[in-house]
Amino acid sequence: MGSLTVVVQEALAASATELRDIDGIAVTNRPGLVGALLVGLQAAKGIAWAAEKPLVGVDHLVGHLLSVFLRDSSGPHLPPPEFPYVALLVSGGNTGLYRCEGANSCVELGGTRDDAVGEVYDKVSKLLGLGYPGGPPIDRLARLGESGRFNLPQPMSRASSLEFSFSGLKSAVARQLAAQPPEEREIPDWCATFQSIVTSTLVAKTISAAERERVDTVAVVGGVAANRELRERMAKATKARALRLCIPSVATCTDNAAMIAYVGAKWLAAGHHDDFSVGVSASSSIPRVTRKGRGSREVT
């Protein structure tokens, strides 16, 4: 809690802002580790109470889904996307496809049945002796390697499915490396092969979701959206289908307070805020689309 207080004070000082200048207090209250969420929520409640400001609990995943609207000093300021759009959310803890209709109107079209993409990168990186986090070194070495050198499975390759499963791919890598540890010169080829399979799977399912939902804009968000090959493959695939692609700057792909503040501001503008009884949850509040036979679906 002491460190959190220092961060808040430094943020106010850096922006030359005082609490009385702020319209409300936004805080992540789901999904995630309950202990960590409680620390942030209790601090936010204390600030909101002391400053007499409205409090807004924000779903962390919604923050990522709307991070395409953030602007920073790096890179060109492209026009923000228009609703609706399909978003691929890929991070260390989450992997899923979503339809976004507005700041408070997103639904999950398909998610991972087991490991998130970022988690698989970390585990494969550890198996290859590349350390943590696994995304940057695998992405860097993949440039130097030859993809397709090793026989690895294509996860959840059914064209009709918008769900993901990466545990089989992770296990296949582990089995092969246990049977025959890689020579140093082979590591770039392992990285290239693994990353090619992961990114091609993510791109194929995202394009399928956009076509199924009949939208003309695709977003890629979350920490893994910083991956070079994923960006390149998605740009090529969306261009081929005349789809617009929106990806946040690398700085705003990873977890950040700006995306939570943005969602909170949108909710406040719409007249929504929470009382001090609001709690935390390990689960997301985003409803999920369930398909019920040919051409029909319901939101749960």
Side-chain angles (χ1 to χ4, degrees):
M1 186 69 79
S3 297
L4 194 154
T5 301
V6 171
V7 169
V8 171
Q9 291 172 341
E10 290 183 352
L12 289 171
S15 60
T17 304
E18 296 184 18
L19 279 176
R20 65 170 177 264
D21 303 319
I22 293 174
D23 293 325
I25 307 298
V27 59
T28 302
N29 71 321
R30 63 194 308 159
L33 298 174
V34 170
L37 292 172
L38 276 172
V39 172
L41 181 60
Q42 292 304 106
K45 286 181 177 181
I47 294 171
W49 180 82
E52 298 183 334
K53 301 293 182 179
L55 176 71
V56 183
V58 175
D59 190 304
H60 176 77
L61 301 190
V62 177
H64 276 304
L65 293 174
L66 298 189
S67 64
V68 286
F69 290 93
L70 300 179
R71 298 292 178 266
D72 62 21
S73 58
S74 65
H77 287 182
L78 300 176
E82 294 183 0
F83 296 110
Y85 59 85
V86 161
L88 170 69
L89 195 167
V90 274
S91 67
N94 302 280
T95 297
L97 285 162
Y98 299 82
R99 179 184 175 95
C100 300
E101 298 273 0
N104 61 348
S105 182
C106 299
V107 294
E108 181 187 318
L109 303 173
T112 180
R113 293 184 174 182
D114 39 61
D115 297 339
V117 169
E119 181 182 359
V120 177
Y121 263 90
D122 292 340
K123 291 179 178 178
V124 170
S125 178
K126 182 178 180 180
L127 290 169
L128 293 171
L130 300 177
Y132 176 89
I138 289 178
D139 192 25
R140 183 182 69 253
L141 291 174
R143 290 176 179 266
L144 310 175
E146 178 185 344
S147 64
R149 273 207 59 202
F150 304 99
N151 184 23
L152 295 174
Q154 191 80 27
M156 293 287 287
S157 58
R158 298 196 311 276
S160 62
S161 175
L162 296 182
E163 294 190 321
F164 301 90
S165 175
F166 294 101
S167 62
L169 174 61
K170 175 193 66 180
S171 298
V173 173
R175 284 195 303 269
Q176 292 190 39
L177 292 178
Q180 187 174 351
E183 299 178 16
E184 186 173 350
R185 61 183 176 81
E186 293 179 318
I187 291 179
D189 295 336
W190 271 106
C191 292
T193 301
F194 166 76
Q195 179 157 278
S196 176
I197 290 173
V198 170
T199 55
S200 63
T201 299
L202 295 173
V203 170
K205 289 183 179 290
T206 302
I207 296 300
S208 177
E211 292 176 343
R212 183 179 299 181
E213 294 298 313
R214 297 181 181 179
V215 301
D216 58 13
T217 302
V218 165
V220 184
V221 299
V224 182
N227 181 276
R228 167 198 56 84
E229 186 170 335
L230 177 58
R231 285 174 173 250
E232 292 174 355
R233 283 179 179 262
M234 195 69 78
K236 183 176 180 180
T238 50
K239 182 178 180 180
R241 292 162 179 81
L243 297 170
R244 183 184 176 196
L245 175 62
C246 297
I247 306 179
S249 67
V250 172
T252 51
C253 282
T254 54
D255 294 348
N256 61 87
M259 67 185 190
I260 304 303
Y262 180 83
V263 176
K266 287 294 182 182
W267 281 53
L268 277 178
H272 170 82
H273 68 275
D274 294 296
D275 59 36
F276 288 103
S277 67
V278 64
V280 300
S281 174
S283 302
S284 173
S285 61
I286 300 176
R288 182 174 186 180
V289 168
T290 302
R291 299 202 171 269
K292 295 175 66 64
R294 191 183 188 94
S296 64
R297 69 184 193 179
E298 65 178 13
V299 177
T300 58

